[in-house]
């Protein structure tokens, strides 16, 4: 009997390892990504081709996967801020699309005043000024949202509804409602390619943002504090955390994320169109958080899962586009897949699944005991 | 404490109510003057350069000095526009000027207007409804714009046309007209192929993604037919990033619509090949119809198409939308 016990033991440990894996929050978004890739691989293997291409003497990488990484940048950066806001305030910011319009408008406002023939150094200085200004402005608007939520205890969705409605008008007002196009090629570097670099710039910008956030989460109490505020604000206050400041802080961080997105977005097309820029991106950002299996009611969060969620969304969009699904129908396809993923990653369903697993597992254990 | 608050709130509310009533009475008295009251329903001015020019043109024409009292409503959604039209009818305007976001759904509200004795003038875009429901429609002939563009393309005499067709918001008359001409041509000719046909909803970034997707798939194409200038620009950016040449001596023919000044400058520089005009200046015609009555149901604005090889700086100054 001991021999059978020995053979059973590794078996159960493998099972529990699988169980641990399945109960990990990263499991669902990664599984989704793998399944989607498999499906695309079968339906259209050429989707994964990546090639070097010579453009005006520069070698650049080209292919659908690069496009996914490139175009998901804004969403991944937004997902960082949205996850924090969700965690601390238990609600979502629906004004990010409108705030992107504001941020982009600020950048354009600074850049449009300069002559196109200024030297590289001057140009860099101007871009840094434009970027910093747009960060400050967005952080202020974030603080506005945050203070409504933190100090006036307004539901986040209602509080951000104000800027959701007014933001695009503010963006228009910043530039006197002119439709501006920037002629300088160098302005397009940040949404396209820097000469001599084979990878699109937004990928680097995203990597920097993710890196900074990873360091912040590792070396500060941001994660612990925002989670505890989200789980129970009054008890965290009794433990010396200021819930109001935490909520405000998360909205300000989201504001900074929005500034980076706005900057990338206007650089991509070298122009600003106030009604179309970042249209409905807030919903995708919230979706990324949900796909990551995070509880939209606040509390514990997994940042990596949210970011992967953002890439899943873009992968889906790019894949559907390459299958030539009409872009009006893309939303419908997206919806179907999203429903499945969100239900699977919903905390309740996962709890049920875990219970089911435990039951199966324990019944097996009792069987083993009976045998021995 | 709470009761006191409630009391204060109710006092404020009733004061506001009274105030608004007084206001509306004052409004009524004002309309008794001999100004012509018009309600103007339009799309968002920042939708495109075209729209901005259109809105400014209307604003400059329907002023008090010219004898009008104009109220404006801007929205890109059909339902919102219809709701606003109902509001204008209740306000008792004399004329209702509509540039509809969608072509359908307007019948009942136009009937209400007719019953209330309000004259309806459609401008810029048509509506699918009985002709008797409006006085006059001053519109761009979108199918003709499409036809002019497609005929120009056919005259280029390429051996094979592999076209990326980037559409506007589906169902808008600009999209229907401009797509229609191309669809007919593709159906009639074997050497005309659509590589991809998708809507970018007038959005340059979506257009960029659509073209990027075709480039990534490694399919070949030699024409980009974008239904407005913004989308053509987005498409060109994707080409530039991939190092594909375009324009007069390039591999890909670029076609846009609306004649924004910056787009015509691209034409003059040889980066694009064709831009179709969509005339945004309808206000003087509308003014004329209100003063002298309509002579025909549909008045078409005159529109041109510009070729990169023949365009001049004068054309940009005269026809470019700034």
């Amino acid at each position: 009997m001991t021999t059978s016990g020995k053979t059973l033991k590794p078996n159960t440990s493998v099972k529990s390892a699988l169980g641990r894996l399945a109960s990990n929050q990263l499991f669902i978004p990664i599984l989704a990504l793998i399944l989607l890739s498999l499906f695309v691989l079968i339906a259209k293997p050429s989707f994964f081709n990546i090639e070097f291409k010579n453009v005006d003497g520069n070698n650049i990488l080209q292919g659908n996967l690069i496009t996914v990484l490139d175009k998901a940048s804004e969403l991944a950066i937004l997902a960082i801020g949205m996850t924090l806001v969700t965690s601390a305030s238990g609600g979502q910011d629906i004004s990010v699309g409108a705030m992107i319009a504001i941020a982009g408008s600020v950048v354009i406002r600074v850049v449009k005043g300069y002559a196109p023939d200024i030297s590289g150094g001057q140009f860099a200085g101007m871009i840094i000024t434009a970027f910093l200004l747009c960060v400050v402005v967005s952080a202020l608007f974030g603080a506005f949202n945050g203070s409504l939520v933190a100090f006036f205890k307004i539901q986040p969705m209602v509080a951000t509804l104000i800027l959701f409605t007014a933001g695009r008008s503010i963006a228009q007002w910043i530039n006197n409602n002119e439709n501006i196009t920037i002629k300088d090629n160098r302005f397009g570097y940040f949404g396209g390619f820097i000469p001599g670099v084979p990878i699109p710039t937004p990928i680097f910008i995203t990597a920097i943002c993710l890196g900074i956030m990873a360091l912040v989460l590792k070396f500060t109490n941001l994660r612990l504090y925002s989670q505890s505020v989200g789980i129970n604000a009054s008890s965290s206050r009794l433990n010396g955390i200021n819930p109001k400041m935490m909520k405000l802080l998360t909205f300000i961080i989201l504001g900074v994320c929005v500034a980076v997105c706005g900057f990338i977005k206007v650089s991509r097309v070298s122009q600003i169109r106030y009604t179309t820029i970042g249209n409905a991106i807030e919903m995708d950002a919230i979706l990324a958080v949900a796909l990551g299996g995070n509880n939209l009611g606040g509390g514990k969060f997994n940042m990596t899962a949210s970011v992967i969620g953002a890439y899943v969304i873009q992968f889906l969009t790019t894949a559907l586009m390459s299958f030539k699904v009409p872009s009006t129908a893309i939303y419908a396809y997206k919806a179907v897949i999203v429903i499945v993923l969100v239900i699977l990653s919903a905390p309740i369903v996962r709890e049920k699944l875990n219970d089911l697993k435990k039951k199966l597992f324990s019944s097996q254990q009792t069987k083993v005991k009976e045998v021995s | 404490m709470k009761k006191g608050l409630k009391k204060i709130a109710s006092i404020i509310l009733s004061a506001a109510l009274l105030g608004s009533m007084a206001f509306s009475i004052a409004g009524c008295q004002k309309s008794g003057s001999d100004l012509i009251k018009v309600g103007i329903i339009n799309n968002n001015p920042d939708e495109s350069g075209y729209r901005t020019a259109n809105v400014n043109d209307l604003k400059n024409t329907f002023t008090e000095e010219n004898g009008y009292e104009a109220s404006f409503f801007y929205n890109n959604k059909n339902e919102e526009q219809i709701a606003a039209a109902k509001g204008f009818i209740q306000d008792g305007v004399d004329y209702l000027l509509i540039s509809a976001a969608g072509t359908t759904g307007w019948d009942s509200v136009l009937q209400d207007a007719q019953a209330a004795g309000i004259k309806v003038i459609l401008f810029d875009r048509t509506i699918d409804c009985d002709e008797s429901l409006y006085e006059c429609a001053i519109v761009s002939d979108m199918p003709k714009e499409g036809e002019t563009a497609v005929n120009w393309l056919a005259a280029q005499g390429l051996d094979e046309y592999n076209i990326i067709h980037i559409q506007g918001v589906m169902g808008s008359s600009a999209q229907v007209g401009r797509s229609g001409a191309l669809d007919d041509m593709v159906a009639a000719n074997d050497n005309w192929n659509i590589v991809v046909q998708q809507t970018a909803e007038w959005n340059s970034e979506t257009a960029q993604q659509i073209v990027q997707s075709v480039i990534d798939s490694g399919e070949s194409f030699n024409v980009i037919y974008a239904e407005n200038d913004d989308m053509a620009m987005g498409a060109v950016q994707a080409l530039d990033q991939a190092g594909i040449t375009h324009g007069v001596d390039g591999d890909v023919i670029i076609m846009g619509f609306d004649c924004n000044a910056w787009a015509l400058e691209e034409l003059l520089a040889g980066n694009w090949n064709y831009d179709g005009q969509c005339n945004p200046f309808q206000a003087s015609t509308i003014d004329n119809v209100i003063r002298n009555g309509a002579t025909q149901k549909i008045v078409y604005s005159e529109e041109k198409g510009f070729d990169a090889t023949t365009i001049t700086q004068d054309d940009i100054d005269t026809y470019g939308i700034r």
Side-chain angles (χ1 to χ4, degrees), chain A residues 177-181 183 271 273, chain B residues 45-57 124 140 142 145 178 227-230 256-266 272 275-282 302-304 306 311-322:
Chain A
N177 200 8
E178 291 167 46
N179 286 316
I180 299 153
T181 304
K183 291 280 165 57
Q271 58 168 206
R273 295 289 178 266
Chain B
D46 58 306
E47 175 200 67
S48 54
Y50 169 86
R51 191 60 56 190
T52 316
N54 179 256
V55 165
N56 288 339
D57 185 40
D124 176 43
S140 296
M142 303 289 184
E145 281 176 22
R178 292 168 189 175
E227 289 176 2
N228 82 350
D229 286 340
D230 284 354
F257 286 93
D258 288 356
C259 284
N260 288 293
W262 56 264
L264 293 182
E265 279 160 17
E266 294 284 343
W272 295 14
D275 205 28
Q277 197 196 4
C278 190
N279 194 344
F281 307 114
Q282 299 129 351
E302 198 186 316
E303 286 165 339
K304 297 163 173 279
F306 294 98
I311 193 168
T312 61
Q313 186 61 44
D314 278 351
D315 288 334
I316 299 178
D317 296 338
T318 329
Y319 298 104
I321 298 172
R322 293 201 185 267

Coordinates of all heavy atoms in Angstrom, one line a residue, chain A residues 177-181 183 271 273, chain B residues 45-57 124 140 142 145 178 227-230 256-266 272 275-282 302-304 306 311-322:
Chain A
N177 N -10.9 76.1 -30.9 CA -11.6 75.3 -31.8 C -11.1 75.3 -33.2 O -11.8 75.1 -34.2 CB -13.1 75.8 -31.8 CG -14.0 74.7 -32.4 OD1 -13.6 73.6 -32.6 ND2 -15.3 75.0 -32.6
E178 N -9.8 75.4 -33.3 CA -9.1 75.3 -34.6 C -8.7 73.8 -34.8 O -8.4 73.1 -33.9 CB -7.9 76.1 -34.7 CG -8.1 77.6 -34.7 CD -6.8 78.4 -34.5 OE1 -5.8 78.0 -35.1 OE2 -6.8 79.3 -33.7
N179 N -8.8 73.4 -36.1 CA -8.3 72.0 -36.4 C -6.9 72.2 -36.8 O -6.6 72.7 -37.9 CB -9.1 71.4 -37.5 CG -10.5 70.9 -37.0 OD1 -10.6 70.3 -35.9 ND2 -11.5 71.2 -37.7
I180 N -6.0 71.8 -35.9 CA -4.6 72.0 -36.2 C -3.8 70.8 -36.7 O -4.0 69.7 -36.2 CB -3.9 72.6 -34.9 CG1 -4.6 73.9 -34.5 CG2 -2.4 72.8 -35.1 CD1 -4.5 74.1 -33.1
T181 N -3.0 71.0 -37.7 CA -2.1 69.9 -38.1 C -0.7 70.4 -38.0 O -0.3 71.5 -38.4 CB -2.4 69.6 -39.6 OG1 -3.8 69.3 -39.7 CG2 -1.6 68.5 -40.1
K183 N 3.1 70.3 -39.0 CA 3.8 69.9 -40.2 C 5.2 69.3 -40.0 O 5.7 68.5 -40.8 CB 4.0 71.2 -41.1 CG 2.7 71.7 -41.7 CD 2.3 70.9 -43.0 CE 0.8 71.1 -43.4 NZ 0.5 72.5 -43.6
Q271 N -2.0 65.7 -35.5 CA -3.1 66.7 -35.6 C -4.0 66.4 -34.4 O -3.9 65.4 -33.7 CB -3.8 66.5 -36.9 CG -4.4 65.1 -37.1 CD -5.4 64.9 -38.2 OE1 -6.2 64.0 -38.1 NE2 -5.3 65.8 -39.2
R273 N -8.2 66.2 -33.4 CA -9.6 66.3 -33.8 C -10.3 66.0 -32.5 O -10.3 64.9 -31.9 CB -10.0 65.3 -34.8 CG -9.3 65.5 -36.1 CD -9.9 66.7 -36.9 NE -9.2 66.9 -38.1 CZ -8.2 67.7 -38.3 NH1 -7.7 68.3 -37.3 NH2 -7.7 67.9 -39.5
Chain B
P45 N -19.3 71.4 -34.7 CA -18.4 72.2 -35.5 C -17.0 71.7 -35.6 O -16.3 71.9 -36.6 CB -18.4 73.6 -34.8 CG -19.1 73.4 -33.5 CD -19.9 72.2 -33.6
D46 N -16.6 70.9 -34.6 CA -15.2 70.4 -34.7 C -15.1 69.0 -35.3 O -14.0 68.4 -35.2 CB -14.6 70.4 -33.3 CG -15.4 69.5 -32.4 OD1 -16.6 69.8 -32.3 OD2 -14.8 68.6 -31.8
E47 N -16.2 68.5 -35.9 CA -16.2 67.2 -36.5 C -15.1 67.2 -37.6 O -14.4 66.2 -37.7 CB -17.6 66.9 -37.1 CG -17.7 65.7 -37.9 CD -18.8 65.7 -38.8 OE1 -18.8 66.5 -39.8 OE2 -19.8 65.0 -38.6
S48 N -15.0 68.3 -38.3 CA -14.0 68.4 -39.4 C -13.8 69.8 -39.7 O -14.6 70.7 -39.3 CB -14.4 67.6 -40.6 OG -15.7 68.0 -41.0
G49 N -12.8 70.1 -40.5 CA -12.6 71.5 -41.0 C -13.8 71.9 -41.8 O -14.2 73.1 -41.8
Y50 N -14.4 71.0 -42.6 CA -15.6 71.3 -43.4 C -16.7 71.8 -42.5 O -17.3 72.8 -42.8 CB -16.0 70.0 -44.1 CG -17.4 70.1 -44.7 CD1 -17.5 70.6 -46.0 CD2 -18.5 69.7 -44.0 CE1 -18.7 70.7 -46.6 CE2 -19.8 69.9 -44.6 CZ -19.9 70.4 -45.9 OH -21.1 70.5 -46.5
R51 N -16.9 71.1 -41.4 CA -18.0 71.5 -40.5 C -17.8 72.9 -39.9 O -18.7 73.7 -39.7 CB -18.2 70.4 -39.5 CG -19.5 70.5 -38.6 CD -20.7 70.5 -39.4 NE -20.8 69.2 -40.3 CZ -21.7 69.0 -41.2 NH1 -22.6 70.0 -41.5 NH2 -21.7 67.9 -41.9
T52 N -16.5 73.1 -39.5 CA -16.2 74.4 -38.9 C -16.5 75.5 -39.9 O -17.1 76.5 -39.5 CB -14.7 74.4 -38.5 OG1 -14.3 73.2 -37.9 CG2 -14.4 75.5 -37.6
A53 N -16.1 75.3 -41.1 CA -16.4 76.3 -42.1 C -17.9 76.5 -42.3 O -18.4 77.7 -42.4 CB -15.7 75.9 -43.4
N54 N -18.6 75.4 -42.3 CA -20.1 75.4 -42.5 C -20.7 76.2 -41.4 O -21.6 77.1 -41.6 CB -20.6 74.0 -42.6 CG -22.0 73.9 -42.7 OD1 -22.7 73.6 -41.8 ND2 -22.5 74.1 -43.9
V55 N -20.3 75.9 -40.1 CA -20.9 76.5 -38.9 C -20.6 78.0 -38.9 O -21.5 78.8 -38.7 CB -20.4 75.8 -37.7 CG1 -20.7 76.7 -36.4 CG2 -21.0 74.4 -37.5
N56 N -19.4 78.4 -39.2 CA -19.0 79.8 -39.2 C -19.8 80.6 -40.3 O -20.2 81.7 -40.0 CB -17.5 79.9 -39.4 CG -16.7 79.5 -38.2 OD1 -17.3 79.5 -37.1 ND2 -15.5 79.2 -38.4
D57 N -20.0 79.9 -41.4 CA -20.7 80.6 -42.5 C -22.1 80.9 -42.1 O -22.7 82.0 -42.3 CB -20.7 79.6 -43.7 CG -21.3 80.2 -44.9 OD1 -21.1 81.4 -45.2 OD2 -22.1 79.5 -45.7
D124 N -26.9 70.9 -46.5 CA -25.8 70.1 -46.4 C -26.0 68.6 -46.6 O -25.3 67.9 -47.3 CB -25.1 70.3 -45.1 CG -23.9 69.4 -44.9 OD1 -23.1 69.2 -45.8 OD2 -23.7 69.0 -43.7
S140 N -25.0 69.2 -51.0 CA -23.9 68.7 -51.9 C -24.4 67.5 -52.5 O -25.1 66.7 -51.9 CB -22.7 68.4 -51.0 OG -22.2 69.6 -50.4
M142 N -23.6 64.3 -53.2 CA -22.6 63.4 -52.8 C -22.4 62.3 -53.8 O -21.2 61.9 -54.1 CB -23.0 62.7 -51.4 CG -23.2 63.7 -50.3 SD -21.6 64.4 -49.8 CE -22.2 65.4 -48.4
E145 N -20.2 63.8 -56.3 CA -18.9 63.9 -55.8 C -18.1 62.6 -56.0 O -17.0 62.6 -56.5 CB -18.8 64.2 -54.3 CG -19.1 65.7 -54.0 CD -19.2 65.9 -52.5 OE1 -18.6 65.1 -51.7 OE2 -19.8 66.9 -52.1
R178 N -20.5 58.7 -51.6 CA -19.1 58.5 -52.1 C -18.7 57.0 -52.2 O -18.0 56.6 -53.1 CB -18.1 59.2 -51.1 CG -18.2 60.7 -51.1 CD -17.5 61.4 -50.0 NE -17.9 62.8 -50.0 CZ -17.5 63.6 -49.0 NH1 -16.7 63.2 -48.0 NH2 -17.8 64.9 -49.1
E227 N -12.8 58.7 -47.7 CA -14.0 59.5 -47.9 C -13.9 60.9 -47.2 O -14.9 61.6 -47.3 CB -15.2 58.7 -47.5 CG -15.5 57.6 -48.5 CD -16.7 56.8 -48.2 OE1 -17.4 57.0 -47.2 OE2 -17.0 55.8 -49.0
N228 N -12.8 61.1 -46.5 CA -12.6 62.6 -46.1 C -11.1 62.8 -46.0 O -10.3 61.8 -46.0 CB -13.4 63.0 -44.9 CG -12.8 62.6 -43.6 OD1 -11.9 61.9 -43.5 ND2 -13.4 63.2 -42.6
D229 N -10.7 64.0 -45.8 CA -9.2 64.4 -45.8 C -8.5 63.8 -44.5 O -7.4 63.3 -44.6 CB -9.1 65.9 -45.8 CG -9.4 66.5 -47.2 OD1 -9.3 65.7 -48.1 OD2 -9.7 67.7 -47.3
D230 N -9.2 63.8 -43.4 CA -8.6 63.3 -42.2 C -8.2 61.9 -42.3 O -7.1 61.5 -41.9 CB -9.5 63.5 -41.0 CG -9.6 64.9 -40.5 OD1 -8.9 65.7 -41.0 OD2 -10.5 65.2 -39.6
G256 N -8.8 62.0 -51.4 CA -9.5 62.5 -50.2 C -10.7 63.3 -50.7 O -10.9 63.6 -51.9
F257 N -11.5 63.8 -49.7 CA -12.6 64.6 -50.0 C -12.6 65.8 -49.0 O -12.1 65.6 -47.9 CB -13.9 63.9 -49.9 CG -14.2 62.9 -51.0 CD1 -13.8 61.6 -51.0 CD2 -14.8 63.4 -52.2 CE1 -14.0 60.7 -52.0 CE2 -15.0 62.5 -53.2 CZ -14.6 61.2 -53.2
D258 N -13.3 66.8 -49.3 CA -13.6 68.0 -48.5 C -12.8 69.2 -48.8 O -13.2 70.3 -48.5 CB -13.4 67.7 -47.0 CG -14.5 66.8 -46.4 OD1 -15.4 66.5 -47.2 OD2 -14.5 66.5 -45.2
C259 N -11.6 69.1 -49.4 CA -10.8 70.3 -49.8 C -10.5 71.2 -48.6 O -10.7 72.4 -48.6 CB -11.5 71.1 -50.9 SG -11.4 70.3 -52.5
N260 N -9.9 70.6 -47.6 CA -9.3 71.4 -46.5 C -8.1 72.0 -47.1 O -7.4 71.4 -48.0 CB -8.9 70.5 -45.3 CG -10.1 70.0 -44.5 OD1 -10.8 70.8 -43.9 ND2 -10.4 68.7 -44.6
A261 N -7.8 73.2 -46.6 CA -6.6 73.9 -47.2 C -5.3 73.1 -47.0 O -4.5 73.0 -48.0 CB -6.4 75.3 -46.5
W262 N -5.2 72.5 -45.9 CA -3.9 71.7 -45.7 C -3.9 70.5 -46.6 O -2.8 70.1 -47.0 CB -3.8 71.3 -44.2 CG -4.9 70.5 -43.6 CD1 -6.0 71.0 -42.9 CD2 -5.2 69.1 -43.7 NE1 -6.8 70.0 -42.5 CE2 -6.4 68.8 -43.0 CE3 -4.5 68.0 -44.3 CZ2 -6.9 67.5 -42.9 CZ3 -5.0 66.7 -44.2 CH2 -6.2 66.5 -43.5
A263 N -5.1 70.0 -46.9 CA -5.1 68.8 -47.8 C -4.7 69.2 -49.2 O -4.0 68.6 -50.0 CB -6.5 68.2 -47.8
L264 N -5.2 70.4 -49.6 CA -4.9 70.9 -51.0 C -3.4 71.2 -51.1 O -2.8 71.1 -52.1 CB -5.7 72.2 -51.3 CG -7.2 71.9 -51.5 CD1 -8.0 73.2 -51.8 CD2 -7.5 70.8 -52.5
E265 N -2.8 71.7 -49.9 CA -1.4 71.9 -49.9 C -0.6 70.6 -50.2 O 0.4 70.6 -50.8 CB -0.9 72.6 -48.6 CG -1.2 74.1 -48.6 CD -1.2 74.7 -47.3 OE1 -0.8 74.0 -46.3 OE2 -1.7 75.8 -47.1
E266 N -1.1 69.5 -49.6 CA -0.5 68.2 -49.8 C -0.6 67.9 -51.3 O 0.4 67.3 -51.9 CB -1.2 67.1 -49.0 CG -1.1 67.2 -47.5 CD 0.2 66.7 -47.0 OE1 1.0 66.1 -47.7 OE2 0.6 67.1 -45.9
W272 N -0.4 63.9 -52.4 CA -1.7 63.3 -52.7 C -2.0 63.4 -54.1 O -1.3 64.2 -54.8 CB -2.8 63.9 -51.9 CG -2.7 63.8 -50.4 CD1 -1.6 63.4 -49.6 CD2 -3.7 64.0 -49.4 NE1 -1.9 63.4 -48.3 CE2 -3.2 63.8 -48.2 CE3 -5.1 64.5 -49.6 CZ2 -4.0 64.0 -47.0 CZ3 -5.8 64.6 -48.4 CH2 -5.3 64.4 -47.1
D275 N -8.4 65.5 -54.6 CA -9.2 65.9 -53.5 C -10.5 66.4 -54.1 O -10.5 67.3 -55.0 CB -8.5 66.9 -52.7 CG -9.1 66.9 -51.2 OD1 -9.5 65.9 -50.8 OD2 -9.0 68.0 -50.6
G276 N -11.6 65.8 -53.6 CA -13.0 66.2 -54.1 C -13.5 67.3 -53.2 O -13.5 67.2 -52.0
Q277 N -14.1 68.3 -53.9 CA -14.7 69.4 -53.1 C -16.0 69.0 -52.5 O -16.8 68.3 -53.1 CB -14.8 70.7 -53.9 CG -15.0 71.9 -53.1 CD -15.5 73.1 -53.8 OE1 -15.8 73.0 -55.0 NE2 -15.6 74.2 -53.2
C278 N -16.3 69.5 -51.3 CA -17.6 69.4 -50.7 C -17.9 70.8 -50.2 O -17.3 71.3 -49.3 CB -17.6 68.4 -49.6 SG -19.2 68.0 -49.0
N279 N -18.8 71.5 -50.9 CA -18.9 73.0 -50.7 C -19.7 73.2 -49.4 O -20.8 72.9 -49.2 CB -19.7 73.5 -51.9 CG -19.6 75.0 -51.9 OD1 -19.3 75.7 -50.9 ND2 -20.0 75.6 -53.0
P280 N -19.0 73.9 -48.4 CA -19.6 74.1 -47.1 C -20.4 75.4 -47.0 O -21.1 75.7 -46.0 CB -18.5 74.1 -46.1 CG -17.4 74.7 -46.9 CD -17.6 74.3 -48.4
F281 N -20.3 76.2 -48.1 CA -20.9 77.6 -47.9 C -22.3 77.6 -48.5 O -22.5 77.9 -49.7 CB -20.0 78.6 -48.6 CG -18.6 78.5 -48.2 CD1 -17.6 78.1 -49.1 CD2 -18.2 78.8 -46.9 CE1 -16.3 77.9 -48.6 CE2 -16.9 78.6 -46.4 CZ -15.9 78.2 -47.3
Q282 N -23.3 77.3 -47.6 CA -24.7 77.2 -48.1 C -25.5 78.3 -47.5 O -26.7 78.5 -47.9 CB -25.3 75.9 -47.7 CG -24.6 74.7 -48.3 CD -24.2 73.6 -47.3 OE1 -24.3 73.9 -46.1 NE2 -23.8 72.5 -47.7
E302 N -22.4 73.9 -56.2 CA -21.5 73.5 -57.3 C -20.2 73.0 -56.7 O -19.7 73.6 -55.7 CB -21.2 74.8 -58.1 CG -20.6 74.4 -59.5 CD -20.1 75.7 -60.2 OE1 -20.9 76.6 -60.2 OE2 -19.0 75.7 -60.8
E303 N -19.6 71.9 -57.2 CA -18.5 71.3 -56.6 C -17.5 70.8 -57.6 O -17.8 70.4 -58.7 CB -18.9 70.2 -55.7 CG -19.5 70.7 -54.4 CD -20.3 69.7 -53.6 OE1 -20.7 68.7 -54.2 OE2 -20.4 69.9 -52.4
K304 N -16.2 70.9 -57.3 CA -15.1 70.6 -58.2 C -14.3 69.4 -57.6 O -14.5 69.0 -56.5 CB -14.2 71.7 -58.4 CG -14.7 73.0 -59.0 CD -13.8 74.1 -58.7 CE -14.2 75.4 -59.4 NZ -13.7 75.4 -60.8
F306 N -10.1 68.3 -57.5 CA -8.8 68.8 -57.8 C -7.7 67.7 -58.1 O -7.7 66.7 -57.4 CB -8.3 69.8 -56.7 CG -9.1 71.0 -56.6 CD1 -10.1 71.1 -55.6 CD2 -8.9 72.1 -57.5 CE1 -10.9 72.2 -55.5 CE2 -9.7 73.2 -57.3 CZ -10.7 73.3 -56.4
I311 N -3.4 71.6 -59.9 CA -3.8 72.5 -58.9 C -2.8 73.7 -58.7 O -1.6 73.5 -59.0 CB -4.0 71.8 -57.5 CG1 -4.7 72.7 -56.5 CG2 -2.6 71.4 -56.9 CD1 -5.2 71.9 -55.3
T312 N -3.4 74.9 -58.4 CA -2.5 76.0 -58.2 C -2.7 76.6 -56.8 O -3.7 76.3 -56.2 CB -2.8 77.1 -59.3 OG1 -4.2 77.5 -59.1 CG2 -2.7 76.6 -60.7
Q313 N -1.8 77.5 -56.5 CA -2.0 78.2 -55.2 C -3.3 79.0 -55.1 O -3.9 79.0 -54.1 CB -0.7 79.1 -54.9 CG -0.7 79.7 -53.6 CD -0.6 78.7 -52.4 OE1 0.2 77.8 -52.5 NE2 -1.4 78.9 -51.4
D314 N -3.7 79.5 -56.2 CA -4.9 80.3 -56.3 C -6.1 79.4 -55.9 O -7.0 79.8 -55.2 CB -5.2 80.8 -57.7 CG -4.4 82.1 -57.9 OD1 -3.9 82.6 -56.9 OD2 -4.4 82.6 -59.1
D315 N -6.1 78.1 -56.4 CA -7.2 77.2 -56.0 C -7.3 77.0 -54.5 O -8.3 77.0 -53.9 CB -6.9 75.8 -56.7 CG -7.2 75.9 -58.2 OD1 -8.0 76.8 -58.6 OD2 -6.6 75.1 -58.9
I316 N -6.1 76.9 -53.9 CA -6.0 76.6 -52.5 C -6.6 77.8 -51.7 O -7.4 77.7 -50.8 CB -4.6 76.4 -52.0 CG1 -4.0 75.2 -52.7 CG2 -4.5 76.2 -50.5 CD1 -2.6 74.8 -52.3
D317 N -6.3 79.0 -52.2 CA -6.8 80.2 -51.5 C -8.3 80.4 -51.7 O -9.0 80.9 -50.8 CB -6.0 81.5 -52.1 CG -4.5 81.4 -51.7 OD1 -4.2 80.7 -50.8 OD2 -3.7 82.1 -52.4
T318 N -8.8 80.0 -52.9 CA -10.2 80.2 -53.2 C -11.0 79.1 -52.5 O -12.1 79.4 -51.9 CB -10.5 80.2 -54.7 OG1 -9.3 80.7 -55.3 CG2 -11.7 81.0 -55.0
Y319 N -10.6 77.8 -52.7 CA -11.5 76.7 -52.3 C -11.1 76.0 -51.1 O -11.9 75.2 -50.5 CB -11.5 75.7 -53.5 CG -12.1 76.3 -54.8 CD1 -11.2 76.6 -55.8 CD2 -13.4 76.5 -54.9 CE1 -11.7 77.1 -57.0 CE2 -13.9 77.0 -56.1 CZ -13.1 77.3 -57.1 OH -13.6 77.9 -58.3
G320 N -9.9 76.3 -50.6 CA -9.4 75.6 -49.4 C -10.2 76.0 -48.1 O -10.5 77.2 -48.0
I321 N -10.6 75.0 -47.3 CA -11.3 75.3 -46.1 C -10.3 75.5 -45.0 O -9.4 74.7 -44.7 CB -12.2 74.2 -45.7 CG1 -13.3 74.0 -46.8 CG2 -12.9 74.4 -44.4 CD1 -14.1 72.7 -46.6
R322 N -10.3 76.7 -44.3 CA -9.4 76.9 -43.2 C -10.0 76.8 -41.9 O -11.2 77.0 -41.7 CB -8.7 78.3 -43.4 CG -7.9 78.3 -44.6 CD -6.9 79.4 -44.6 NE -6.2 79.4 -45.9 CZ -5.0 78.8 -46.2 NH1 -4.5 78.1 -45.2 NH2 -4.5 78.8 -47.3

